[in-house]
Structure formats: C-alpha cells, structure tokens
Amino acid sequence: MKNHFLLYLTVVLISCSNDIDYTHTYTATNLEKGSIQLFTRNGEIINSSQINNFVSLHKSTLSVMYGNVDEMMLITPAEVKFLSTTEAQFIFVNNTAVNVVNQNNAIYLESKDTFDTKLRYYGYPSLELSIYNAMLSFSELYRDTFLVNSANDTYGIRFKQCFYLTKSGNKLKMPFLNYWYFQPYSTQSGGSINNTFNNNCIDMMGDKDTLAIQQFQVVFKK
C-alpha cells in the first residue's frame, strides 16, 4: 500500500511540474527563432535550393524586421503575473489588467477595456476575411461593429485586445509571426503580429504570389 501511495505521489508531482502554475509570475527569458518558410497557392515550398535562391534574391526585404517587440520583451523583461486561473496582470510597457481564458490550445490574455479602432466605414463593413486576417490562427474573443451616425450610415469597430500565449509543458510561449507578402506588379507588404500562422490562407493567394513567414517565440518561465 505504501509503495502504491509513493507511486501515486510521484505521478502527481510530475504532472504538476509539467503544467502552468496560475499562482506565480512568468517572466520572458529567451527568444526562439524559426526558419523562413515559403508558400504559394499550391502549398509550402520545401525544396531547399528554391528557398535559398528566393531568400538570396529578396535578402534586403527579408532582412527587414517589421517590429522588434519580441526582442524588447527580453530587455524589460515582460511578465505575466497570474492572480488566479481567470485574472492576471500583463506587465510590458504598461501594467494591463487582463482576463485569462483557455481556448483553442492557447491562453488568451484579454484586456478588460474595450478599444475603439477609430476606423470609420460608410455602410456596414464587409465581413469577408482578407488574407492578412486569414493567415492568423488566433483572433479576439470580443469584436463588435457599431453604428456611429445613422444620418450618414457610418459604422465603427471596437474590440478587446488579446495577447496570445501557447503552453509548452511548464513554460509559456508568446508567438510572433513575421510575414512578407510578394505579389507581381504590386507593392510588397509585411508585418509582425502576436500570433501563429494559419496555412489555410494560401487558398486566397494569387497564382504568382509568394508568402514568406518566420515564426518567433518569446519564452516565459516562472
């Protein structure tokens, strides 16, 4: 009986040490950097020679970081201070009170305040996704379209900002997606956002478009 109890206790301890502790503060400690991946409408390019040639040809563009928030998080460093399983403080630049929501294999740190984008649309804005939305795995839990002025049929959009974290054993990882979208006869576009890549977006690409991505992860430990 004693041996069975010790075995059970060991299993419990192992399980607990490999999970997130909602009574502690997690601090940004290091940055993981993924490789550049290329996608066309036909899928991912996995031929290393093609990838290397493309990277070499567009080196000046791909070397541009569209934001260094992930690196800044290590300098400060950023912290997630859990108050319970449902509330926390996200400490980076500002101290933001957030709701903690476990959903879609991720932890959403949702701002308690609603943010007005200040964008105004004449007529109800289209609900159709652009490729820039479709390439993201996570989206806000609360987003609302509201009527600003009925006289001229003007609408606005407000939402509650979310910070997205994924769980990796007893660590948290905040993903950042850098992307570069190449379209023939068009200005190349790019950006960096706290999210992970959703490859379903490639169905929306043009026949000669190329999408380059690089995934980063800010690792938080307690």
Side-chain angles (χ1 to χ4, degrees):
M1 185 68 166
K2 182 178 179 181
N3 290 338
H4 285 128
F5 174 76
L6 290 175
L7 177 60
Y8 171 77
L9 180 61
T10 302
V11 171
V12 170
L13 290 174
I14 292 174
S15 299
C16 290
S17 65
N18 197 36
D19 201 1
I20 302 305
D21 188 340
Y22 293 96
T23 65
H24 278 71
T25 297
Y26 284 72
T27 304
T29 56
N30 63 291
L31 180 66
E32 296 177 349
K33 181 178 179 180
S35 301
I36 291 178
Q37 297 173 265
L38 301 182
F39 296 85
T40 68
R41 187 176 176 84
N42 295 323
E44 184 176 3
I45 297 174
I46 57 175
N47 184 290
S48 57
S49 295
Q50 285 183 275
I51 295 173
N52 292 336
N53 290 338
F54 186 91
V55 171
S56 178
L57 180 63
H58 298 282
K59 185 176 181 180
S60 60
T61 301
L62 296 174
S63 63
V64 176
M65 290 287 290
Y66 290 99
N68 59 350
V69 176
D70 46 6
E71 295 181 347
M72 290 172 59
M73 283 189 172
L74 301 178
I75 297 172
T76 307
E79 292 183 335
V80 180
K81 182 179 181 180
F82 285 108
L83 305 177
S84 69
T85 56
T86 58
E87 290 190 301
Q89 296 282 341
F90 179 55
I91 305 167
F92 176 61
V93 181
N94 297 311
N95 191 331
T96 306
V98 293
N99 296 317
V100 178
V101 182
N102 279 272
Q103 186 169 302
N104 300 330
N105 298 316
I107 294 178
Y108 290 60
L109 302 181
E110 181 190 49
S111 172
K112 293 180 179 291
D113 299 322
T114 303
F115 174 75
D116 183 352
T117 63
K118 303 299 182 183
L119 296 174
R120 296 296 180 255
Y121 303 86
Y122 296 103
Y124 198 88
S126 171
L127 297 177
E128 185 177 347
L129 281 178
S130 72
I131 189 171
Y132 301 104
N133 298 120
M135 73 170 65
L136 306 177
S137 299
F138 308 119
S139 59
E140 300 92 5
L141 300 174
Y142 173 86
R143 177 177 282 261
D144 178 43
T145 300
F146 63 98
L147 183 63
V148 178
N149 189 324
S150 58
N152 59 11
D153 199 30
T154 305
Y155 289 83
I157 294 177
R158 57 194 167 204
F159 63 91
K160 290 185 178 180
Q161 183 181 11
C162 280
F163 303 97
Y164 308 107
L165 301 163
T166 59
K167 292 179 280 188
S168 178
N170 59 0
K171 295 179 291 186
L172 292 171
K173 295 185 178 182
M174 178 172 279
F176 283 87
L177 174 67
N178 271 27
Y179 68 89
W180 302 264
Y181 191 27
F182 297 84
Q183 296 173 282
Y185 318 114
S186 176
T187 303
Q188 295 154 1
S189 56
S192 180
I193 189 168
N194 168 212
N195 223 292
T196 60
F197 181 61
N198 183 349
N199 62 10
N200 291 333
C201 71
I202 65 175
D203 293 336
M204 304 175 69
M205 296 173 62
D207 291 335
K208 296 184 179 180
D209 296 352
T210 304
L211 176 63
I213 69 160
Q214 189 171 24
Q215 193 77 61
F216 296 81
Q217 309 275 356
V218 178
V219 180
F220 287 75
K221 298 179 181 179
K222 70 173 183 178

